[in-house]
Each structure stands twice: as structure tokens, then as C-alpha cells.
Amino acid sequence: MMTTVEQFTTSAKANLDTAMGLSHKSFAGFEKMVELNMAAAKAIMTESFEFTQSMLAAKDVQQVVALQSGLVTPMAEKSAAYGRHVYGIAIETSAEFTKAMEGKAAESQKAFTQVIDTMVKNAPAGSESAVAVLKSALASSQSAIESAQTAAKKALAMAESNVTAVTEQALSAAAAVSKKA
């Protein structure tokens, strides 16, 4: 009985440590987002005042049109850079969660396997076929979990590739628009 209480206490402490670590990582990601947004807001404010001053200093309509046309590509590039930063922060934070969850899943799988092994050792004579079915089910579930993890990683890689491609297309389109103007 004492071993079970000790195991439960140890497990609870480990889970608390994991939760605390993930909370710190979440907060760190939030801090990065706040810092990024503050820097972006400051840059937008500064650039807005500079642009307004340039517009007020324009001598004719052609200069105003040229100033406005020259704004398209830099805005698109800055928007894309901002998006990449946000995406990077999200990927970094989610990678920490994924790593922690995979670790916990592996621990749980190991503990469950140990319970099954103990149960098999103490199984009554004649229950070999039931034990074989149980072991087969365990192996199948572990295989399914591994397949799901692999598929999730592939989907994430594909999504990242698609985001990169869309960003590059948007930048190309913005450059083409600014050249025409």
C-alpha cells in the first residue's frame, strides 16, 4: 500500500512540475508577443509621422502619388515579417508543449506496459490466450499513437511550407503592384 501512495505522490509532483514548466513557457511566449506588438506599434507610429511629413512636403500631385506607390512594397514586406515573427513564436511555444506531451505520453505508456507486465506475471494458468490478446491490443494502440504523432508532424511541416509559399507569393504580388504604379 505504501508503494502506491509513494508512486501517486511522485507522479503528482512530476505532473505539477510539468504544469509549472508549461505555464512558464506559455507566459514566455505571451511576453514575446507583447514585445513584438510593442515594437511593431512603435515602428508604425514613427513611420506614419514620417510619411505624413513627406506628404505635407510634397510639391505636386506626382510626388504624392509616388509616395503612396512607394508605400505598398515596404508595407507588404513588413506585414510578412510580422507574420513570420508571430508564426515563429507560435511554433516555438507549441514545440515546447509537444515535447512535454510526448514525454508524458511516453511515461504513461511505459507505466501502462509495466502494469500489464505485472498483471501477466500474476495471471492464472490457462489465461495465455487472453494475455496474448491484451498484448496485441497494447502493441496496436502504441503503433496507432506513433502513427498519429508522425502524421501530425508531417501536417505541421506541410502547413509551415504552405505559409512560406503564400508569404512569398504575397511579397511578389506587392512588388509587382508597386512597379506598375
Side-chain angles (χ1 to χ4, degrees):
M1 187 71 159
M2 194 60 143
T3 305
T4 305
V5 172
E6 288 175 12
Q7 288 173 341
F8 177 76
T9 303
T10 302
S11 177
K13 286 179 182 178
N15 289 338
L16 180 62
D17 289 343
T18 300
M20 187 172 66
L22 290 175
S23 295
H24 286 289
K25 302 244 184 252
S26 294
F27 195 76
F30 180 73
E31 284 178 324
K32 288 178 183 179
M33 286 298 299
V34 168
E35 289 172 9
L36 175 64
N37 287 331
M38 292 298 290
K42 184 178 181 181
I44 288 170
M45 183 180 66
T46 302
E47 291 168 6
S48 294
F49 285 127
E50 290 173 357
F51 181 74
T52 302
Q53 287 175 340
S54 298
M55 292 291 282
L56 292 173
K59 304 282 187 218
D60 56 25
V61 174
Q62 289 176 336
Q63 282 184 325
V64 170
V65 170
L67 286 170
Q68 288 178 336
S69 297
L71 194 61
V72 173
T73 301
M75 280 181 93
E77 290 171 353
K78 288 174 186 171
S79 294
Y82 176 81
R84 283 192 292 265
H85 278 89
V86 169
Y87 185 70
I89 291 168
I91 290 297
E92 181 182 330
T93 303
S94 70
E96 294 292 335
F97 275 85
T98 301
K99 183 179 173 184
M101 291 305 149
E102 286 177 350
K104 282 297 176 185
E107 286 176 22
S108 297
Q109 216 170 19
K110 183 179 175 184
F112 185 70
T113 302
Q114 288 173 345
V115 167
I116 296 296
D117 288 344
T118 301
M119 193 171 78
V120 167
K121 288 177 188 174
N122 297 325
S127 61
E128 290 80 17
S129 62
V131 168
V133 168
L134 188 59
K135 282 186 173 184
S136 175
L138 179 62
S140 294
S141 68
Q142 288 175 343
S143 176
I145 289 169
E146 290 170 4
S147 294
Q149 288 174 341
T150 301
K153 287 178 183 178
K154 285 181 182 178
L156 183 61
M158 184 181 290
E160 189 171 342
S161 173
N162 289 342
V163 166
T164 301
V166 167
T167 301
E168 292 305 319
Q169 288 177 350
L171 289 174
S172 297
V177 166
S178 100
K179 285 181 183 177
K180 288 181 181 178

